[in-house]
Amino acid sequence: MKQSGNHYAYRMAPVLALLLGALAGCASQKTPATADVAVSRAAVDAAANAGAAEVAPAEMQSARDKLMRASQALAARDYQAAADWANQAEADARLAQSKASSAKATQAAEEVQRSIQALRDELSRSSAPVTR
């Protein structure tokens, strides 16, 4: 009888380990989803502060919509959906922010080119021979 009890315990060990693993996975999934939503919210805010709404309005709207869905999923305790929506929102926000940064860099480069041209023009006027 003692042997059959040990045999039963050996057979149940993998089932118990699987059950404990599943329970631990469910319990720990909330924290990453909450963190994912917070990170995506910060990314959307950073993109908005970078002026992405003017340069990349479609991406910003998409990021905001997905962030809203992530928040709704989090409130509904659908942590996997919340994490997925949050990750998509973050990607859209980062794309929008990249477009805003690129537009600002292009604008700054154009400004530098105009300044260089103005200096060249001034230099050519001052070095031109004066005729009387």
Side-chain angles (χ1 to χ4, degrees):
M1 189 93 180
K2 190 173 182 181
Q3 260 184 347
S4 65
N6 285 342
H7 180 66
Y8 179 76
Y10 285 123
R11 285 183 32 209
M12 291 305 292
V15 174
L16 289 173
L18 182 62
L19 182 61
L20 288 174
L23 287 174
C26 290
S28 67
Q29 193 172 14
K30 178 181 179 182
T31 302
T34 303
D36 288 340
V37 172
V39 167
S40 67
R41 183 170 285 116
V44 169
D45 290 344
N49 291 335
E54 294 81 30
V55 178
E59 289 83 357
M60 280 301 297
Q61 188 59 48
S62 178
R64 287 183 177 122
D65 290 345
K66 290 173 182 176
L67 179 59
M68 181 184 67
R69 289 181 183 192
S71 296
Q72 290 170 341
L74 191 60
R77 297 181 184 203
D78 186 351
Y79 301 123
Q80 185 60 51
D84 291 344
W85 284 117
N87 289 331
Q88 291 178 34
E90 181 184 0
D92 287 349
R94 296 212 185 276
L95 175 60
Q97 186 173 7
S98 292
K99 285 186 173 186
S101 296
S102 177
K104 285 180 181 179
T106 299
Q107 186 178 14
E110 289 170 354
E111 177 99 9
V112 167
Q113 288 297 326
R114 283 191 295 272
S115 295
I116 290 171
Q117 188 59 48
L119 289 172
R120 284 183 179 154
D121 292 345
E122 183 66 31
L123 186 61
S124 68
R125 278 191 293 262
S126 65
S127 64
V130 178
T131 56
R132 290 187 185 203

